[in-house]
Amino acid sequence: MTDQHSPAPASTLPPIIALDAMGGDHGPAEIVPAALSVLERYAAITLILVGQRDVLEPILKQHGVEESDRLRIHHASQTVEMHELPSMVMRNKKDSSMRVAIDLVKDGEASACVSAGNTGALMATARFVLKMLPGIDRPAICATMPGTNGPTHLLDLGANVDTSSEQLLQFGIMGSELVSAVNNKSDPTVALLNIGAEEIKGNDQVKQAASLLSQSPINYAGFVEGNDIFTGKVDVIVCDGFAGNIALKASEGVAEFISQQTRAEFKRSLYGKFAALLSMPVLNAIRHKLDPRRYNGASLLGLRGIVIKSHGSADRVSFAHAIEEAIIETRKNVPERICNELETVLNERRDN
Amino acid sequence: MTDQHSPAPASTLPPIIALDAMGGDHGPAEIVPAALSVLERYAAITLILVGQRDVLEPILKQHGVEESDRLRIHHASQTVEMHELPSMVMRNKKDSSMRVAIDLVKDGEASACVSAGNTGALMATARFVLKMLPGIDRPAICATMPGTNGPTHLLDLGANVDTSSEQLLQFGIMGSELVSAVNNKSDPTVALLNIGAEEIKGNDQVKQAASLLSQSPINYAGFVEGNDIFTGKVDVIVCDGFAGNIALKASEGVAEFISQQTRAEFKRSLYGKFAALLSMPVLNAIRHKLDPRRYNGASLLGLRGIVIKSHGSADRVSFAHAIEEAIIETRKNVPERICNELETVLNERRDN
């Protein structure tokens, strides 16, 4: 990105992160220990556990801790179930842990929130409560994917199913600002996800987005194919939410298949079990390197506030990573940076 | 599928497969040995090596074989390069190994053809020369994906970027017939690939296709997500070519990433190398089970003839699998079966 403007200054206020403590498959049983582990590692932060006080207090007690300045309970009487329709959640769950956590961000009492709950409800509620940044139509879900030569940020992962070329440009701008803020990378490369078949290269939206991105101040790197999500060839890969969600889930599927086949083969014979035992240190190192929990915490970009979506099945290790993402984005003022960059792009376009 | 009609009878004529011997990254150096290995394993078949006689003869000689009734050379003076535009190939490469191999199918001199060449050119040429089956708009690329509970057929993998709901129904019919013919499976289950985000479940085409499929005689199993490509939960998964291609390539990317990280970790230390040596029989068994070469050979469905697309980088083992796919589809009369089933579906719809 050309540096005609200075990015928003990093925030100097200590991060206060609101946690939807009732969300996800495991709820507070994993979210409370995740919070405690993050508090141990980060000195100058505050966490707010949003949820039912009578559920949360006993769990804190189990872990031998009490409420403090750094770890508060904020009571919310309702919970959002994983299968609930966003429209019903918006109407009937105004005192849910999810909604109240987002309200705290809106009211300035928290600098970010994290939820492992129902994605559709989280997105709809965040959009309704926080509103979009000027120039952005809808939020995009952005996650970090590991790769041979380093990580790549992929967006959108399912927030938008029918995506215009204009939206793909917006995703490019948001992804670029996120990476430059969070990874301290100036001028990150942004590519468009496309398919390999020649001539009929891509649908109309992708072709038009290529033209918009190459005319923008973004460091546009052209088209990449699906396999490049895991090569780290570029910093940001942009696609519509349908393709992005399918790429993400297919990747999870193949990783699970390989892992399952590998376990089965090592267990098949006595010799295999012996080899597995001897290889344990190496197998553990591989497991750690490929551990998807290290990449948990997707950003809902384009909102007037920081909202981090944790995987629904996240355990304490995984949820702690999502909280860390919220801390970093708070410190780097990600929404303000995106807002500034958007303004630059829109102004440049107006001037030309 | 309801069995109101009998499927096309299996073909009793011995398969004659035309091989585009000059296509792919390795050309005849791998394709000729692939052909020889298939001839050893299948008694009653004939292979035609289509390509430059002066290139092919010396390679046959190297392998100590001569032309015979079962292995003929059919001269074609030109070759299609991987980067060439389909439109240019159609216009200027009428005596290419790819084009001539397809012509042989059209003229009834071969029962199927196999090419590792340029996908776009192969598809355009096949469609132009062979024409589509009545009721099918464009070919779809269908490949077998390995999974925990058995394989799944996924289509389309990139032949169609903007796919209507009507086309998704056609893909469902074609995939269902392919599986029931090739895997001897009656009433295979067919699902639509969709995304996980609630409420906004899928784009309009997917929603309409769901309605078309559930009204059809297909054994429609509803929506699945990307990870189900590798669970073997259903026999056939249908999607537009953009999403399908990205799912396929992303899966290849993550598998390559895992394999590369695993190799690196075993090589990192002396202990790792020792563990790898001891685990070699297990690691080799895993490699064999996950070997993508075993799944090489995608079908171009919907044509009036059998065309198999091999991966461009296929070696002899891999290309031999693609030839075997062509043999099986010939024996099972796949295009005729698809044609009959389409007619049934269209008639039923007309009657209602």
Side-chain angles (χ1 to χ4, degrees), chain A residues 74 99-111 129-130:
Chain A
H74 188 110
R99 171 67 179 266
V100 173
I102 297 172
D103 284 341
L104 289 175
V105 176
K106 162 123 178 44
D107 299 340
E109 292 184 46
S111 53
V129 172
L130 297 175

Side-chain angles (χ1 to χ4, degrees), chain B residues 20-63:
Chain B
D20 166 7
M22 314 303 284
D25 300 344
H26 306 297
E30 294 294 318
I31 292 171
V32 169
L36 296 175
S37 85
V38 172
L39 284 176
E40 264 179 34
R41 275 174 291 143
Y42 290 80
I45 63 154
T46 298
L47 299 180
I48 306 175
L49 295 167
V50 183
Q52 289 158 357
R53 180 169 282 281
D54 56 340
V55 173
L56 293 170
E57 272 179 346
I59 297 177
L60 282 184
K61 199 163 283 175
Q62 272 172 34
H63 287 275

